[in-house]
Amino acid sequence: MPESHLSLPGHQVDSIGANLAKQPDLNIMRRHQVPVYAALLLAVAPAFADEPLKAVVDGTRLILAQGNKLVTVDLTHRYPGTGLTQARLLHRAVKQGASYLLLDAVGYSRFVPGTPPPETGGGHCGGGEERALVWIKLGAHFEHLNSVVVPYLSCWETISAADLEAEGGKNIRAGKDGVSIEISRYGGLLKEGDYEISYSFRSPEFPPEIRLKK
């Protein structure tokens, strides 16, 4: 049997033909009707999923890199601030060929990075900060399929998160099963009140949900 090669992004499996030439292994696959290449893909895909993923901020854009793959997610007109300063990966999952990411994005309300700092006060929200959960769905080829931005601390949207601020810091800590944040006075399309933002690690295909607390 001639030697063949199977290539995946960032990985290459050599000498597949030599491995399949072992008649007992091939007979086992045939008896159980397991497609040969499907079995090989199942063995290779988890290794690719474990490669480190890097997130770089550029204005209101997120640049994601993994191995030799690169994709840009533009959050303009969805992220309430003028520029991101950092993005921290909270969770990542692979389900049915798609990758689901949840990031904690932080930036300025009004100050534009790269420009002189504003004068004292800087006007409305001049010294403010915008924080949001960013949910991203990537395809099997690392292409951007969908993304959702959910602010949880915002000067422009008049959102506060007392439980985070009371601890003396504002960094979200992901729990075992997901992320849950209680917020107050959610502006924009929702009426004023107390809300809960929740995201389940068991159902990563669904973006963070916002529910009004009773």
Side-chain angles (χ1 to χ4, degrees):
M1 183 180 294
E3 183 175 275
S4 58
H5 300 274
L6 173 65
S7 296
L8 290 178
H11 290 271
Q12 181 168 322
V13 180
D14 296 325
S15 303
I16 292 176
N19 292 330
L20 296 184
K22 298 178 181 179
Q23 192 65 23
D25 296 339
L26 186 57
N27 287 336
I28 291 174
M29 289 184 176
R30 285 173 177 167
R31 284 200 301 269
H32 292 277
Q33 296 182 344
V34 178
V36 173
Y37 283 96
L40 291 169
L41 285 172
L42 288 174
V44 175
F48 173 62
D50 290 339
E51 283 190 357
L53 185 142
K54 299 179 181 179
V56 179
V57 297
D58 179 22
T60 52
R61 301 188 306 162
L62 279 174
I63 302 174
L64 306 176
Q66 181 182 25
N68 60 351
K69 297 292 185 180
L70 190 71
V71 65
T72 299
V73 180
D74 194 346
L75 304 180
T76 307
H77 306 307
R78 291 184 292 163
Y79 174 74
T82 54
L84 295 165
T85 57
Q86 62 175 308
R88 184 168 57 101
L89 182 65
L90 297 175
H91 186 255
R92 180 188 177 203
V94 178
K95 192 172 184 178
Q96 296 180 346
S99 293
Y100 299 94
L101 313 176
L102 185 70
L103 297 98
D104 181 16
V106 182
Y108 298 106
S109 299
R110 190 165 183 166
F111 172 60
V112 179
T115 64
E119 298 179 358
T120 303
H124 180 59
C125 291
E129 188 176 55
E130 306 292 320
R131 291 176 173 255
L133 293 178
V134 180
W135 174 89
I136 300 173
K137 178 181 180 180
L138 302 177
H141 301 289
F142 210 69
E143 73 275 22
H144 174 218
L145 298 179
N146 193 15
S147 55
V148 175
V149 179
V150 182
Y152 68 86
L153 271 175
S154 172
C155 178
W156 293 118
E157 299 285 347
T158 320
I159 304 171
S160 63
D163 55 337
L164 297 178
E165 296 170 351
E167 296 176 357
K170 300 177 182 178
N171 288 330
I172 293 178
R173 291 194 302 271
K176 179 181 178 181
D177 298 321
V179 174
S180 178
I181 309 172
E182 294 185 358
I183 62 174
S184 300
R185 293 179 54 83
Y186 198 93
L189 299 178
L190 300 179
K191 64 180 182 180
E192 294 185 359
D194 295 328
Y195 291 80
E196 180 182 11
I197 302 173
S198 60
Y199 179 77
S200 173
F201 292 163
R202 297 182 180 181
S203 302
E205 67 273 25
F206 298 108
E209 182 181 7
I210 305 172
R211 292 182 300 224
L212 179 64
K213 296 183 65 178
K214 297 181 180 181

